Each structure stands twice: as structure tokens, then as C-alpha cells.
Amino acid sequence: MEKNQTNHKIRKVLILKIVFTTKGTSLEAEMDSRFGRSSYLLLYDDANGTMECFDNRAVADAGHGAGPQTAKKVFDLKPDILITGNGPGGNAATILEKTGIVIYIGAGDLTVREALENYQKGLLYRL
Amino acid sequence: MYEIVVISGKGGTGKTSLTAAFAALEGPDTVLADCDVDAPNLHLLMQPDLKMSHDFYSGVIACIDPRLCNDCGVCKSRCRFDAILITEGHYSINARYCEGCGYCANVCPEKAVKMLVRKVGTWSVATTRLGSWMVHAHLGAGGENTGKLVAKVKNEARQVAHNYGKKTILVDGTPGIGCPVISSLSGAGFVLLVAEPSASGWHDLTRISELIQKFKLRAGCIINKTDLNPEISSKIKTQLQKEKITYLGELPYDEAFTAAMTKGRTIIEYNSSSLKNTLSYTWKKIKQITKLERY
């Protein structure tokens, strides 16, 4: 936990883009604990506090390869950080590892706002 | 709401028997989710009373419209799966062979081939004879298991738990470590491993524990049929310590499990007091762990 906090302090000075896996389209929406079949991807920009929402339901509905497809979408959004529930599965994790996106997990039961606050307090678990 | 997922890596180690046993111990305050959609069997022990049932669609299947088809046979020449039948000069699709690739639809000059969504199974919400709720699914023959159906079952189970204020979700998982298992792990608060001391049981346990480490999930392990091979059993125990998986206890090989199953009862309801004691003790341990903070 301590390690997370120091990490956070270093990163605080940077302008961050964060992607959340969510079930809804607002800050009050619940997080989606799934990565691959997450309903939406929310992109939060720390620079001006704006948010953008991307519909991922088509991928969530795919029979196969939901993980890697979502990983590609996340990569295309070029975030610095991904916040999700359990974390991506093997295939998606391999892709994300190469992108250098930092993944935080353990936000599955929170709302997006709570997840963001918990991240800022350094309460989330870094993969 | 707390989710406990029972998995094993290897099949046949006793996941369903133990899930049912814990369901009997916990009583009406649970929602059961049978995520082993390939070969669901929790319903055999729970005799659920269906409240609603829905079709499940996944993937696509080709279908030739006979009104548009001019019997040219281009589709048959291109199909790599031999899925196009010809009867009396007319073409049709063999649903068992069609993989839904859509090549035929692409090459058909008359646009007579349509890709339709494929019904692969059903999922249902039910109440069990123990008073708990249960969500389970059934894939049709040849229906492909995907994380999608598992995700559906789990999401519905959460919805039921939310609607009826149930605190515990008990998930009976799938063997293996692939897509359906990963899907069943999402949102899990605690993972219960059922190990079996055999060469393949050991091998699959190491694979599944690797997966759990990846997700940083809290896990515990019960060794079932422990007296089958005491040597591997002790090897498993050492390994569990190394991987920081809580050792929850062991059960002997006991034909009472089979006897209870043939009667359609859980081992708890069946007359076998020593097993009952071990299982209640184990369940208590699990409940204690689940009360702790997640990380």
C-alpha cells in the first residue's frame, strides 16, 4: 500500500488520462468488474476534469475474444492508467503489458467517482 | 453482496458436490449460480422451481433463402466446413457444421444467404428446495461455451441478489483455466479451490493457482479425496503455503457423496456426520475469511 502512495505522489504532477470499465455513462455509474465484457469505457482527463464515454457493448456481446478487443480499444484511447475490477485475463493482459498502461484493480464494487477518489488516495491495488 | 467462486482446474474433483453442500449450510440467504454451462448439474441436487427462462443467442449461422437461391452452388464450393447440403439440386445449410464465418453470404451472387443469430442455449432463474435462488444456464448440443453466457449467468445472479437482498453468491465454476473460468472469476471476492491428489489434479491445480495469482484474488483450497494419494496431498499443502492460498481442510474419499447424489440430496442432508462436521467447520472458516477486507 505504501508503495502505491509514493507512486501516486510522483504521478500527481503528471497530467493523467484514466480509463474506467463501467456499467454506465456518468461519474455516478457503477464500475464494471469485468474487463473484456465491460459495457462502457470512460475516459477521464485529469488535466481539465472532463470525461468521455465509449460504448463497448458490441464487444461485450461478442462470442469470442472480448478481452483482446477491449484491450485494443483501451490502447486506442491512449490512457496512462486503467482502473477496473478484477483486471484483464491472460490474453488482454499480454497486450496491455506491452502498452505500458498502468493497471489498478479492486474497484469492481464502487462507483466511478469512488474509484477515482480511491485511486487518488492510493487505495487501489496496482497490478 | 459477496461472491464465492468454486473452481478446480481439473474436472470431477467435487466442485458441484461441495457447492451444493455449502448452499445447504448457508440456507435461503444465498443465490446460486451454476456457471458450468457446458454440463450444468447443480440443478440435479437443487431441483429448482423455474421462475423464468430465456433463450440465449451467441454467434451467427448461415441460412439460405430458397426464394432467392438460383442453385448455382458457389457457396458449396467455398465452404470450408462442408456445411452446405445439396438435396435434389437445392442447397441448404447443415446447422451442425456451420461455423458462422459468413464466407457463403459474402460470395453468394444472389444475396440469398443470410447470417442469422444463433440460439445456443437457455438461461433460467429459479428458486431451490432450500429456499435459495438459483441462476443456471444450459447450452444445447454443439452450442459453444463462451465467457458471454457465464457473464450473463453471473450478472443475473447479482441482479437477483440485489433484488431480494441476498448476501452471498455461490458460483459453481467450470473446469479448465480458459475464457469461461476467467469470466466466472470476475467480481469474485473469494475463490474456493477444490483440489484432488492425482497427477492431473496436481497439474491443473498449479495452472489454476497461477491464474488466481494473476488476478490477485483471495483464495482457499479444500483437498478432496485426500486419502487417494497422501503423497500428492502433502505436496499440495506445501504448495498452497508457498502461493499464500489458505488451506481450508481435507475430505476423505467417501462413497456417501455418490449415494447422496443418486438420491438428489446434498451431502449435508445425507446421513454422514463426520463429513458434515468437516464441511461446517470449513464453511465457517470461509465465512470468517470473507468478512476480512479484500486486500
Side-chain angles (χ1 to χ4, degrees):
Chain A
M1 213 48 92
E2 265 180 42
K3 196 179 159 201
N4 280 350
Q5 276 165 354
T6 40
N7 217 322
H8 170 62
K9 274 174 200 158
I10 301 164
R11 294 195 145 258
K12 184 81 184 178
V13 294
L14 301 169
I15 293 164
L16 290 178
K17 279 187 172 179
I18 308 174
V19 165
F20 297 87
T21 57
T22 66
K23 286 179 181 160
T25 57
S26 72
L27 262 186
E28 307 310 324
E30 277 177 59
M31 291 288 290
D32 202 327
S33 60
R34 298 176 174 275
F35 175 75
R37 290 179 200 285
S38 166
S39 302
Y40 297 92
L41 296 172
L42 267 191
L43 178 67
Y44 173 81
D45 195 334
D46 207 19
N48 41 24
T50 55
M51 261 183 13
E52 230 181 310
C53 182
F54 299 86
D55 197 334
N56 197 44
R57 283 175 296 183
V59 174
D61 205 36
H64 293 279
Q69 284 180 55
T70 304
K72 181 174 183 307
K73 276 197 161 181
V74 169
F75 173 70
D76 289 341
L77 298 177
K78 306 233 175 311
D80 305 285
I81 287 171
L82 166 71
I83 297 179
T84 182
N86 278 57
N91 292 336
T94 316
I95 297 170
L96 288 171
E97 232 165 62
K98 297 198 168 123
T99 64
I101 297 168
V102 183
I103 304 169
Y104 285 86
I105 59 168
D109 297 325
L110 310 171
T111 66
V112 181
R113 187 184 297 281
E114 286 164 349
L116 181 62
E117 283 166 4
N118 278 11
Y119 161 72
Q120 284 165 343
K121 287 179 200 155
L123 294 175
L124 297 182
Y125 196 97
R126 185 176 167 175
L127 264 194
Chain B
M1 204 185 302
Y2 201 91
E3 225 179 278
I4 299 171
V5 180
V6 186
I7 48 172
S8 62
K10 181 184 176 295
T13 62
K15 283 185 297 298
T16 304
S17 297
L18 293 186
T19 309
F22 293 138
L25 286 170
E26 189 68 5
D29 201 27
T30 35
V31 178
L32 297 167
D34 192 351
C35 284
D36 192 356
V37 293
D38 275 301
N41 44 17
L42 192 56
H43 63 276
L44 298 176
L45 296 174
M46 291 295 143
Q47 289 107 36
D49 180 14
L50 295 194
K51 298 292 173 202
M52 59 173 188
S53 209
H54 295 274
D55 290 341
F56 176 74
Y57 297 89
S58 181
V60 288
I61 184 167
C63 183
I64 298 176
D65 186 339
R67 292 166 301 181
L68 298 174
C69 179
N70 64 358
D71 300 328
C72 69
V74 171
C75 51
K76 187 169 172 61
S77 69
R78 297 294 171 86
C79 181
R80 305 293 284 272
F81 302 101
D82 284 334
I84 302 193
L85 298 169
I86 175 160
T87 34
E88 293 167 9
H90 300 300
Y91 295 89
S92 60
I93 304 285
N94 181 350
R96 290 246 179 278
Y97 285 28
C98 178
E99 291 274 320
C101 70
Y103 201 163
C104 50
N106 215 12
V107 296
C108 178
E110 300 295 325
K111 299 272 169 272
V113 186
K114 304 277 183 284
M115 301 307 291
L116 306 176
V117 284
R118 186 195 290 251
K119 182 195 159 187
V120 290
T122 52
W123 61 271
S124 322
V125 178
T127 49
T128 71
R129 60 188 171 82
L130 302 170
S132 45
W133 284 82
M134 174 167 170
V135 183
H136 60 299
H138 201 127
L139 276 176
E144 217 175 357
N145 185 12
T146 70
K148 191 178 158 191
L149 184 51
V150 173
K152 183 81 203 164
V153 170
K154 292 237 324 181
N155 286 339
E156 289 303 321
R158 287 195 150 231
Q159 196 58 48
V160 171
H162 183 78
N163 290 352
Y164 296 95
K166 307 289 184 190
K167 289 188 196 73
T168 316
I169 301 177
L170 248 177
V171 180
D172 187 13
T174 327
I177 56 163
C179 179
V181 177
I182 290 172
S183 189
S184 70
L185 285 175
S186 115
F190 182 75
V191 181
L192 176 60
L193 296 172
V194 184
E196 178 194 277
S198 61
S200 55
W202 161 257
H203 172 258
D204 291 357
L205 183 73
T206 52
R207 298 209 304 169
I208 197 80
S209 56
E210 210 175 287
L211 186 74
I212 290 165
Q213 302 300 335
K214 215 173 255 170
F215 286 122
K216 309 253 190 287
L217 290 167
R218 176 178 284 142
C221 179
I222 299 179
I223 305 177
N224 196 10
K225 314 175 205 173
T226 183
D227 45 352
L228 286 188
N229 190 331
E231 205 177 301
I232 300 185
S233 281
S234 62
K235 197 160 96 176
I236 291 176
K237 281 178 211 164
T238 337
Q239 186 66 16
L240 291 178
Q241 258 175 354
K242 257 189 235 160
E243 309 226 359
K244 295 197 178 111
I245 294 172
T246 318
Y247 168 63
L248 292 167
E250 57 192 354
L251 297 167
Y253 176 77
D254 196 325
E255 287 181 0
F257 273 106
T258 328
M261 204 177 291
T262 49
K263 290 213 160 60
R265 289 288 173 268
T266 66
I267 191 76
I268 300 298
E269 297 161 288
Y270 194 76
N271 188 21
S272 172
S273 57
S274 68
L275 284 177
K276 210 185 289 181
N277 288 342
T278 323
L279 284 166
S280 333
Y281 179 67
T282 314
W283 184 240
K284 253 184 223 153
K285 259 197 204 169
I286 295 172
K287 295 289 276 184
Q288 275 167 4
I289 296 173
T290 59
K291 284 194 188 100
L292 302 170
E293 274 293 304
R294 187 156 171 209
Y295 294 111

